[in-house]
Amino acid sequence: MATLLAAPVWCIAVVVKLVSVALPGRRPDWAVDLLRWSAKMAAAAAVGCYLLGAGAVAFAEHESRSGADSSPAPACRGEEVPEEIRRHLVTHRASYFPPGFECVLDDGTTYESSGGYDWTNAFIVVFAGGAGALAVTARCTTARRARPPAVTVTA
């Protein structure tokens, strides 16, 4: 729930940072600062997406363990699942890394629940990869600027 409340604040922070970079009077090292800040924001987005996915898994897990109509798991009995498959549902498996909720049939085969965690996992990977790439770029840029300029000797 906290992730849902923090998302608008995160978006406002991104817009404010981009506007501050565009305005005149910025610091001389604004490019490296922006790379570092962007890496931190991408990492925060990856964590936020993970928390949303893990929260959805926890909700589906809770829903499958409480109430009279909880077995088989409601997430496994979506409208898109044919009745023939629903008759063979035995149990479910919840996974928090990566977030996912699988429905298990009596023959041992599984299918993903109606939660659809593929998009969440894709966003986690993209944001985490972007954060890593931005952090490496910021580090390389800082190291390149710290090196003294090459001296050429002419005779």
Side-chain angles (χ1 to χ4, degrees):
M1 187 59 136
T3 305
L4 291 175
L5 297 174
V9 174
W10 182 83
C11 291
I12 291 169
V14 169
V15 169
V16 167
K17 183 65 172 185
L18 292 176
V19 168
S20 73
V21 169
L23 294 175
R26 57 185 176 254
R27 297 179 0 198
D29 64 341
W30 68 273
V32 175
D33 181 52
L34 183 62
L35 284 171
R36 287 183 185 140
W37 186 84
S38 297
K40 292 174 188 173
M41 288 298 106
V47 169
C49 287
Y50 173 76
L51 291 175
L52 284 174
V57 171
F59 180 74
E61 180 76 14
H62 172 72
E63 193 176 38
S64 68
R65 296 193 188 280
S66 20
D69 189 32
S70 62
S71 182
C76 296
R77 295 181 278 148
E79 295 173 4
E80 68 277 356
V81 179
E83 181 63 35
E84 178 182 309
I85 292 177
R86 279 191 256 170
R87 277 187 261 139
H88 296 282
L89 280 172
V90 177
T91 187
H92 63 275
R93 285 191 292 228
S95 167
Y96 288 95
F97 191 76
F101 195 83
E102 292 182 335
C103 307
V104 181
L105 301 176
D106 55 6
D107 63 356
T109 58
T110 63
Y111 66 92
E112 190 173 330
S113 71
S114 61
Y117 299 94
D118 291 340
W119 67 270
T120 307
N121 292 332
F123 278 131
I124 293 168
V125 169
V126 168
F127 282 130
L134 287 165
V136 167
T137 304
R139 186 167 182 97
C140 291
T141 303
T142 304
R144 187 171 33 115
R145 287 185 179 181
R147 266 188 267 146
V151 178
T152 56
V153 178
T154 57

